[in-house]
Amino acid sequence: MSNADAKTARAEWGTRFGFLMAMIGAMVGAGNIWRFPFVTGENGGGAFLIAFLVLLFLLAVPGLMAEVALGRYTNKGVIGAFRDVVGSGGLVGFGIVVLLVNVALMSYYSPLIGWTLYYAVHSLLFTFTASGFEAVEFMDAFFANPALMIGLHTVIMAAIAAVLILGIRRGLERFVVFAVPALVFALVVMMVRGLTLDGAGEGVSFLFSVQWEYLTYSETWIAALGQALFSTGLGWGIALTVGSYLREYDDVPLGGGVFTAIGESSVGILAALAIFPIVFAVGLEPDAGAALAFVSLVQVFPEIPLGGLVAILFFVGFFLATFTSGLLITEVSVTTVAEETRFSRTQTVLGVCGGIWLLGIPSAYSVEVLDYLDFVFGNWGLPLATLAIVLVIGWVMGPERLRLLSVNKNAGIHVGHWWNPVVKFVIPAVMIFIMAYFAYDAYGTAEMIGGMVVLVTFPIVGYVLMSVVDGDERRPAGEVTGGDD
Amino acid sequence: MPLETEVLGMFAFTAVAFFGVASWALVRTLRQEGRKVELLEHQDVMDTYSPTALAELREWIDRNPDDPYVDDAREQYNACVDALKTTDRRFYDWSDDDVESLERL
């Protein structure tokens, strides 16, 4: 395989910092804000963190290295990378599976970003600290206004399109190098404020008290597994796409693996330290999920000193976390579609964002639809996409080849032979286990049926589509997709 | 409420294991980028593999002469050897003797 032509006109990250912030920005999302702190506290606190850390190093770090390395080696988006490895034909359709999962994921994530935007704007207007403000009524009125929800979904997709049209360096990179540090800054300030509240220690104890017996519970390990795999975005195609814009001399294992997985988790812990001291200081329920952010915390901002400022930090930070994830999830489809068609980047961005906008209308209209899709794609769609990527690397290309040709090339740390069986056996086995576990757990429910439909139809659609179109004339490999080089 | 020693210990462990490792990785990789940029500005090319990684690549090429990826592997091996032979400053920890013993494939 030759990459020579691919390297001539493709965009690249302008700086290593830009690449790292893109990786972190993509992985830190809504789950870090309301899910990670609660899952930690409910599963033995410190014991959960130890299980989580073990699984991060065992699965997420090697898996992310594999994905970034494949992107860097092929210099192509998901389908192009798969074609380089698999050859032409129906099996390239595994790439379509990853693409479809990303589009579906983004269709319900965009309305959720719209929620965070709505609350961020109201935090800037000091709505939450105004006298007579009622958090529950405010949220009910918001959710009962489909026109507003669809309007926000439209604004988000338009904003994402605007950033992506500018390209990899001028759009994505410029945005993330400011947004991610701003998010971290907001969380640090909020943490300092929260930790100085009376009763904040209870929140810290909830997170860090070590209940060792939890390490013997299978539920703890399954919860840690889900968090380690899904919060790091392993197998979504994001790491592959971001890696495909790496410069030739960049490192994969240190930045694409260790920093991304551990850094993203560090932001999750920071969010926990920012939120839980406040939650416990004012006696809120820690397991409120989305309602924790949109109802519970909103109620306490007027009660704590500098509450208006804390509300701004929280909701603007929350918006930045979700928006950067949305940008990178959409970029997976933009890069891939631009490479596979004759459309320009601008045309592709408009087409992809328009398509996602259309598909996202039901989720914007109804929170129930959004919840349903989140369950289906979180438990079956994403493991399926991850399985597709690791199977192509582990069983078609072979991990040893990728390790020698890309992972250890220009690497900041050496990755040894131990990496091969992890990519070839352990990660695929874990993904199959997760899908089987959730099928068993949700047996007979509408969610499980939806999950099975995704598991069966997406690979068939991908296989048939690529069998038909692969072999048609396509634009030359490596033609500009990043838009600004 | 005063925090228990165990909670403080776990907090410290978390700080080192997460924030410490992430900061270490960030600083190390950015410093390495700085060195790479400096090398490339100075000599235009640089060594792309560490001695261990290049030895593994060589061994794999020898063991898999008919592999579909072997041409690419050989190209990458030779590019690294060329860079090492033609430059005086190196990114990885290569000794002059190591470089002297290398040959193109």
PDB file of all heavy atoms in Angstrom, chain A residues 392-418:
ATOM      1  N   VAL A 392     -10.917  -5.462  12.328  1.00  0.00           N
ATOM      2  CA  VAL A 392     -10.132  -5.148  11.123  1.00  0.00           C
ATOM      3  C   VAL A 392      -8.650  -5.035  11.472  1.00  0.00           C
ATOM      4  O   VAL A 392      -7.789  -5.553  10.754  1.00  0.00           O
ATOM      5  CB  VAL A 392     -10.663  -3.843  10.472  1.00  0.00           C
ATOM      6  CG1 VAL A 392      -9.648  -3.276   9.497  1.00  0.00           C
ATOM      7  CG2 VAL A 392     -11.969  -4.130   9.735  1.00  0.00           C
ATOM      8  N   ILE A 393      -8.361  -4.390  12.596  1.00  0.00           N
ATOM      9  CA  ILE A 393      -6.956  -4.257  12.986  1.00  0.00           C
ATOM     10  C   ILE A 393      -6.402  -5.599  13.475  1.00  0.00           C
ATOM     11  O   ILE A 393      -5.321  -6.036  13.071  1.00  0.00           O
ATOM     12  CB  ILE A 393      -6.797  -3.192  14.097  1.00  0.00           C
ATOM     13  CG1 ILE A 393      -7.144  -1.801  13.556  1.00  0.00           C
ATOM     14  CG2 ILE A 393      -5.359  -3.194  14.648  1.00  0.00           C
ATOM     15  CD1 ILE A 393      -7.203  -0.714  14.608  1.00  0.00           C
ATOM     16  N   GLY A 394      -7.168  -6.255  14.355  1.00  0.00           N
ATOM     17  CA  GLY A 394      -6.650  -7.454  15.016  1.00  0.00           C
ATOM     18  C   GLY A 394      -6.636  -8.690  14.139  1.00  0.00           C
ATOM     19  O   GLY A 394      -5.739  -9.524  14.262  1.00  0.00           O
ATOM     20  N   TRP A 395      -7.621  -8.814  13.249  1.00  0.00           N
ATOM     21  CA  TRP A 395      -7.766 -10.071  12.508  1.00  0.00           C
ATOM     22  C   TRP A 395      -7.536  -9.944  11.011  1.00  0.00           C
ATOM     23  O   TRP A 395      -7.398 -10.946  10.324  1.00  0.00           O
ATOM     24  CB  TRP A 395      -9.146 -10.676  12.778  1.00  0.00           C
ATOM     25  CG  TRP A 395      -9.236 -11.163  14.193  1.00  0.00           C
ATOM     26  CD1 TRP A 395      -9.538 -10.408  15.300  1.00  0.00           C
ATOM     27  CD2 TRP A 395      -8.950 -12.469  14.676  1.00  0.00           C
ATOM     28  NE1 TRP A 395      -9.473 -11.173  16.435  1.00  0.00           N
ATOM     29  CE2 TRP A 395      -9.122 -12.459  16.085  1.00  0.00           C
ATOM     30  CE3 TRP A 395      -8.575 -13.659  14.064  1.00  0.00           C
ATOM     31  CZ2 TRP A 395      -8.920 -13.568  16.887  1.00  0.00           C
ATOM     32  CZ3 TRP A 395      -8.384 -14.789  14.860  1.00  0.00           C
ATOM     33  CH2 TRP A 395      -8.567 -14.732  16.262  1.00  0.00           C
ATOM     34  N   VAL A 396      -7.560  -8.747  10.470  1.00  0.00           N
ATOM     35  CA  VAL A 396      -7.291  -8.598   9.038  1.00  0.00           C
ATOM     36  C   VAL A 396      -5.884  -8.033   8.830  1.00  0.00           C
ATOM     37  O   VAL A 396      -5.040  -8.659   8.191  1.00  0.00           O
ATOM     38  CB  VAL A 396      -8.345  -7.699   8.352  1.00  0.00           C
ATOM     39  CG1 VAL A 396      -8.066  -7.614   6.845  1.00  0.00           C
ATOM     40  CG2 VAL A 396      -9.751  -8.229   8.603  1.00  0.00           C
ATOM     41  N   MET A 397      -5.639  -6.845   9.380  1.00  0.00           N
ATOM     42  CA  MET A 397      -4.291  -6.287   9.217  1.00  0.00           C
ATOM     43  C   MET A 397      -3.299  -7.035  10.096  1.00  0.00           C
ATOM     44  O   MET A 397      -2.181  -7.332   9.680  1.00  0.00           O
ATOM     45  CB  MET A 397      -4.275  -4.807   9.588  1.00  0.00           C
ATOM     46  CG  MET A 397      -2.891  -4.186   9.402  1.00  0.00           C
ATOM     47  SD  MET A 397      -2.887  -2.435   9.660  1.00  0.00           S
ATOM     48  CE  MET A 397      -1.202  -2.041   9.149  1.00  0.00           C
ATOM     49  N   GLY A 398      -3.697  -7.325  11.311  1.00  0.00           N
ATOM     50  CA  GLY A 398      -2.798  -7.969  12.269  1.00  0.00           C
ATOM     51  C   GLY A 398      -2.122  -6.927  13.134  1.00  0.00           C
ATOM     52  O   GLY A 398      -1.507  -5.989  12.600  1.00  0.00           O
ATOM     53  N   PRO A 399      -2.213  -7.061  14.442  1.00  0.00           N
ATOM     54  CA  PRO A 399      -1.666  -6.029  15.328  1.00  0.00           C
ATOM     55  C   PRO A 399      -0.152  -5.877  15.227  1.00  0.00           C
ATOM     56  O   PRO A 399       0.371  -4.774  15.390  1.00  0.00           O
ATOM     57  CB  PRO A 399      -2.090  -6.494  16.730  1.00  0.00           C
ATOM     58  CG  PRO A 399      -2.472  -7.909  16.591  1.00  0.00           C
ATOM     59  CD  PRO A 399      -2.906  -8.118  15.192  1.00  0.00           C
ATOM     60  N   GLU A 400       0.556  -6.984  14.951  1.00  0.00           N
ATOM     61  CA  GLU A 400       2.024  -6.887  14.890  1.00  0.00           C
ATOM     62  C   GLU A 400       2.456  -5.951  13.762  1.00  0.00           C
ATOM     63  O   GLU A 400       3.365  -5.137  13.933  1.00  0.00           O
ATOM     64  CB  GLU A 400       2.634  -8.280  14.707  1.00  0.00           C
ATOM     65  CG  GLU A 400       4.149  -8.320  14.616  1.00  0.00           C
ATOM     66  CD  GLU A 400       4.864  -7.963  15.926  1.00  0.00           C
ATOM     67  OE1 GLU A 400       4.193  -7.566  16.899  1.00  0.00           O
ATOM     68  OE2 GLU A 400       6.100  -8.060  15.961  1.00  0.00           O
ATOM     69  N   ARG A 401       1.785  -6.058  12.607  1.00  0.00           N
ATOM     70  CA  ARG A 401       2.139  -5.172  11.490  1.00  0.00           C
ATOM     71  C   ARG A 401       1.900  -3.708  11.869  1.00  0.00           C
ATOM     72  O   ARG A 401       2.725  -2.840  11.608  1.00  0.00           O
ATOM     73  CB  ARG A 401       1.308  -5.509  10.261  1.00  0.00           C
ATOM     74  CG  ARG A 401       1.610  -6.859   9.644  1.00  0.00           C
ATOM     75  CD  ARG A 401       0.743  -7.015   8.402  1.00  0.00           C
ATOM     76  NE  ARG A 401       0.928  -8.278   7.730  1.00  0.00           N
ATOM     77  CZ  ARG A 401      -0.069  -9.106   7.440  1.00  0.00           C
ATOM     78  NH1 ARG A 401      -1.312  -8.797   7.794  1.00  0.00           N
ATOM     79  NH2 ARG A 401       0.157 -10.231   6.799  1.00  0.00           N
ATOM     80  N   LEU A 402       0.728  -3.451  12.475  1.00  0.00           N
ATOM     81  CA  LEU A 402       0.407  -2.066  12.824  1.00  0.00           C
ATOM     82  C   LEU A 402       1.365  -1.548  13.899  1.00  0.00           C
ATOM     83  O   LEU A 402       1.787  -0.396  13.860  1.00  0.00           O
ATOM     84  CB  LEU A 402      -1.044  -1.960  13.312  1.00  0.00           C
ATOM     85  CG  LEU A 402      -1.567  -0.543  13.505  1.00  0.00           C
ATOM     86  CD1 LEU A 402      -1.597   0.222  12.185  1.00  0.00           C
ATOM     87  CD2 LEU A 402      -2.958  -0.535  14.126  1.00  0.00           C
ATOM     88  N   ARG A 403       1.722  -2.424  14.830  1.00  0.00           N
ATOM     89  CA  ARG A 403       2.639  -2.016  15.904  1.00  0.00           C
ATOM     90  C   ARG A 403       3.989  -1.601  15.323  1.00  0.00           C
ATOM     91  O   ARG A 403       4.553  -0.566  15.683  1.00  0.00           O
ATOM     92  CB  ARG A 403       2.825  -3.182  16.881  1.00  0.00           C
ATOM     93  CG  ARG A 403       3.606  -2.854  18.138  1.00  0.00           C
ATOM     94  CD  ARG A 403       3.683  -4.074  19.042  1.00  0.00           C
ATOM     95  NE  ARG A 403       4.641  -5.057  18.555  1.00  0.00           N
ATOM     96  CZ  ARG A 403       5.950  -5.049  18.830  1.00  0.00           C
ATOM     97  NH1 ARG A 403       6.439  -4.120  19.618  1.00  0.00           N
ATOM     98  NH2 ARG A 403       6.742  -5.970  18.334  1.00  0.00           N
ATOM     99  N   LEU A 404       4.482  -2.411  14.378  1.00  0.00           N
ATOM    100  CA  LEU A 404       5.802  -2.122  13.808  1.00  0.00           C
ATOM    101  C   LEU A 404       5.767  -0.937  12.850  1.00  0.00           C
ATOM    102  O   LEU A 404       6.677  -0.114  12.832  1.00  0.00           O
ATOM    103  CB  LEU A 404       6.328  -3.355  13.058  1.00  0.00           C
ATOM    104  CG  LEU A 404       6.630  -4.574  13.922  1.00  0.00           C
ATOM    105  CD1 LEU A 404       6.864  -5.799  13.055  1.00  0.00           C
ATOM    106  CD2 LEU A 404       7.844  -4.311  14.808  1.00  0.00           C
ATOM    107  N   LEU A 405       4.713  -0.859  12.053  1.00  0.00           N
ATOM    108  CA  LEU A 405       4.684   0.150  10.989  1.00  0.00           C
ATOM    109  C   LEU A 405       4.167   1.512  11.445  1.00  0.00           C
ATOM    110  O   LEU A 405       4.480   2.525  10.832  1.00  0.00           O
ATOM    111  CB  LEU A 405       3.817  -0.346   9.825  1.00  0.00           C
ATOM    112  CG  LEU A 405       4.367  -1.557   9.067  1.00  0.00           C
ATOM    113  CD1 LEU A 405       3.352  -2.088   8.079  1.00  0.00           C
ATOM    114  CD2 LEU A 405       5.660  -1.192   8.346  1.00  0.00           C
ATOM    115  N   SER A 406       3.367   1.545  12.496  1.00  0.00           N
ATOM    116  CA  SER A 406       2.799   2.838  12.869  1.00  0.00           C
ATOM    117  C   SER A 406       2.900   3.150  14.361  1.00  0.00           C
ATOM    118  O   SER A 406       3.285   4.260  14.726  1.00  0.00           O
ATOM    119  CB  SER A 406       1.323   2.892  12.440  1.00  0.00           C
ATOM    120  OG  SER A 406       0.778   4.151  12.693  1.00  0.00           O
ATOM    121  N   VAL A 407       2.556   2.183  15.218  1.00  0.00           N
ATOM    122  CA  VAL A 407       2.523   2.495  16.662  1.00  0.00           C
ATOM    123  C   VAL A 407       3.909   2.912  17.150  1.00  0.00           C
ATOM    124  O   VAL A 407       4.059   3.929  17.841  1.00  0.00           O
ATOM    125  CB  VAL A 407       1.999   1.287  17.472  1.00  0.00           C
ATOM    126  CG1 VAL A 407       2.109   1.553  18.972  1.00  0.00           C
ATOM    127  CG2 VAL A 407       0.555   0.989  17.108  1.00  0.00           C
ATOM    128  N   ASN A 408       4.933   2.145  16.794  1.00  0.00           N
ATOM    129  CA  ASN A 408       6.279   2.439  17.307  1.00  0.00           C
ATOM    130  C   ASN A 408       7.088   3.384  16.423  1.00  0.00           C
ATOM    131  O   ASN A 408       8.236   3.693  16.740  1.00  0.00           O
ATOM    132  CB  ASN A 408       7.054   1.133  17.533  1.00  0.00           C
ATOM    133  CG  ASN A 408       6.666   0.476  18.846  1.00  0.00           C
ATOM    134  OD1 ASN A 408       6.221   1.162  19.776  1.00  0.00           O
ATOM    135  ND2 ASN A 408       6.814  -0.835  18.938  1.00  0.00           N
ATOM    136  N   LYS A 409       6.498   3.844  15.339  1.00  0.00           N
ATOM    137  CA  LYS A 409       7.214   4.788  14.480  1.00  0.00           C
ATOM    138  C   LYS A 409       7.091   6.190  15.080  1.00  0.00           C
ATOM    139  O   LYS A 409       5.982   6.653  15.348  1.00  0.00           O
ATOM    140  CB  LYS A 409       6.607   4.758  13.072  1.00  0.00           C
ATOM    141  CG  LYS A 409       7.374   5.594  12.073  1.00  0.00           C
ATOM    142  CD  LYS A 409       6.686   5.559  10.727  1.00  0.00           C
ATOM    143  CE  LYS A 409       7.409   6.470   9.757  1.00  0.00           C
ATOM    144  NZ  LYS A 409       6.685   6.632   8.507  1.00  0.00           N
ATOM    145  N   ASN A 410       8.209   6.813  15.319  1.00  0.00           N
ATOM    146  CA  ASN A 410       8.252   8.149  15.948  1.00  0.00           C
ATOM    147  C   ASN A 410       7.615   8.166  17.342  1.00  0.00           C
ATOM    148  O   ASN A 410       7.123   9.200  17.797  1.00  0.00           O
ATOM    149  CB  ASN A 410       7.552   9.192  15.073  1.00  0.00           C
ATOM    150  CG  ASN A 410       8.243   9.388  13.751  1.00  0.00           C
ATOM    151  OD1 ASN A 410       9.426   9.702  13.724  1.00  0.00           O
ATOM    152  ND2 ASN A 410       7.529   9.179  12.657  1.00  0.00           N
ATOM    153  N   ALA A 411       7.601   7.011  17.990  1.00  0.00           N
ATOM    154  CA  ALA A 411       6.886   6.902  19.260  1.00  0.00           C
ATOM    155  C   ALA A 411       7.672   7.507  20.421  1.00  0.00           C
ATOM    156  O   ALA A 411       8.897   7.415  20.469  1.00  0.00           O
ATOM    157  CB  ALA A 411       6.606   5.431  19.553  1.00  0.00           C
ATOM    158  N   GLY A 412       6.930   8.081  21.350  1.00  0.00           N
ATOM    159  CA  GLY A 412       7.546   8.639  22.554  1.00  0.00           C
ATOM    160  C   GLY A 412       7.834   7.583  23.604  1.00  0.00           C
ATOM    161  O   GLY A 412       8.673   7.770  24.481  1.00  0.00           O
ATOM    162  N   ILE A 413       7.100   6.470  23.551  1.00  0.00           N
ATOM    163  CA  ILE A 413       7.387   5.313  24.416  1.00  0.00           C
ATOM    164  C   ILE A 413       7.300   4.059  23.542  1.00  0.00           C
ATOM    165  O   ILE A 413       6.566   4.049  22.558  1.00  0.00           O
ATOM    166  CB  ILE A 413       6.390   5.199  25.598  1.00  0.00           C
ATOM    167  CG1 ILE A 413       4.930   5.293  25.107  1.00  0.00           C
ATOM    168  CG2 ILE A 413       6.657   6.238  26.667  1.00  0.00           C
ATOM    169  CD1 ILE A 413       3.902   5.044  26.186  1.00  0.00           C
ATOM    170  N   HIS A 414       8.060   3.029  23.912  1.00  0.00           N
ATOM    171  CA  HIS A 414       8.050   1.816  23.099  1.00  0.00           C
ATOM    172  C   HIS A 414       6.904   0.903  23.534  1.00  0.00           C
ATOM    173  O   HIS A 414       6.694   0.678  24.721  1.00  0.00           O
ATOM    174  CB  HIS A 414       9.383   1.072  23.247  1.00  0.00           C
ATOM    175  CG  HIS A 414       9.445  -0.160  22.410  1.00  0.00           C
ATOM    176  ND1 HIS A 414       9.604  -0.123  21.045  1.00  0.00           N
ATOM    177  CD2 HIS A 414       9.344  -1.469  22.742  1.00  0.00           C
ATOM    178  CE1 HIS A 414       9.614  -1.346  20.578  1.00  0.00           C
ATOM    179  NE2 HIS A 414       9.459  -2.187  21.577  1.00  0.00           N
ATOM    180  N   VAL A 415       6.170   0.396  22.554  1.00  0.00           N
ATOM    181  CA  VAL A 415       5.072  -0.527  22.848  1.00  0.00           C
ATOM    182  C   VAL A 415       5.517  -1.936  22.462  1.00  0.00           C
ATOM    183  O   VAL A 415       5.870  -2.187  21.304  1.00  0.00           O
ATOM    184  CB  VAL A 415       3.807  -0.137  22.063  1.00  0.00           C
ATOM    185  CG1 VAL A 415       2.683  -1.136  22.296  1.00  0.00           C
ATOM    186  CG2 VAL A 415       3.350   1.266  22.467  1.00  0.00           C
ATOM    187  N   GLY A 416       5.500  -2.833  23.429  1.00  0.00           N
ATOM    188  CA  GLY A 416       6.032  -4.175  23.219  1.00  0.00           C
ATOM    189  C   GLY A 416       5.006  -5.168  22.685  1.00  0.00           C
ATOM    190  O   GLY A 416       3.860  -4.812  22.378  1.00  0.00           O
ATOM    191  N   HIS A 417       5.420  -6.432  22.644  1.00  0.00           N
ATOM    192  CA  HIS A 417       4.572  -7.502  22.080  1.00  0.00           C
ATOM    193  C   HIS A 417       3.278  -7.712  22.863  1.00  0.00           C
ATOM    194  O   HIS A 417       2.325  -8.272  22.342  1.00  0.00           O
ATOM    195  CB  HIS A 417       5.357  -8.821  22.031  1.00  0.00           C
ATOM    196  CG  HIS A 417       6.502  -8.787  21.064  1.00  0.00           C
ATOM    197  ND1 HIS A 417       6.321  -8.916  19.710  1.00  0.00           N
ATOM    198  CD2 HIS A 417       7.838  -8.617  21.254  1.00  0.00           C
ATOM    199  CE1 HIS A 417       7.501  -8.848  19.092  1.00  0.00           C
ATOM    200  NE2 HIS A 417       8.432  -8.657  20.012  1.00  0.00           N
ATOM    201  N   TRP A 418       3.257  -7.312  24.136  1.00  0.00           N
ATOM    202  CA  TRP A 418       2.058  -7.499  24.962  1.00  0.00           C
ATOM    203  C   TRP A 418       0.826  -6.883  24.316  1.00  0.00           C
ATOM    204  O   TRP A 418      -0.294  -7.307  24.544  1.00  0.00           O
ATOM    205  CB  TRP A 418       2.267  -6.858  26.348  1.00  0.00           C
ATOM    206  CG  TRP A 418       2.512  -5.366  26.275  1.00  0.00           C
ATOM    207  CD1 TRP A 418       3.710  -4.739  26.210  1.00  0.00           C
ATOM    208  CD2 TRP A 418       1.524  -4.326  26.223  1.00  0.00           C
ATOM    209  NE1 TRP A 418       3.543  -3.376  26.113  1.00  0.00           N
ATOM    210  CE2 TRP A 418       2.212  -3.091  26.126  1.00  0.00           C
ATOM    211  CE3 TRP A 418       0.126  -4.296  26.257  1.00  0.00           C
ATOM    212  CZ2 TRP A 418       1.557  -1.860  26.053  1.00  0.00           C
ATOM    213  CZ3 TRP A 418      -0.514  -3.073  26.166  1.00  0.00           C
ATOM    214  CH2 TRP A 418       0.202  -1.867  26.080  1.00  0.00           C
TER     215      TRP A 418
END
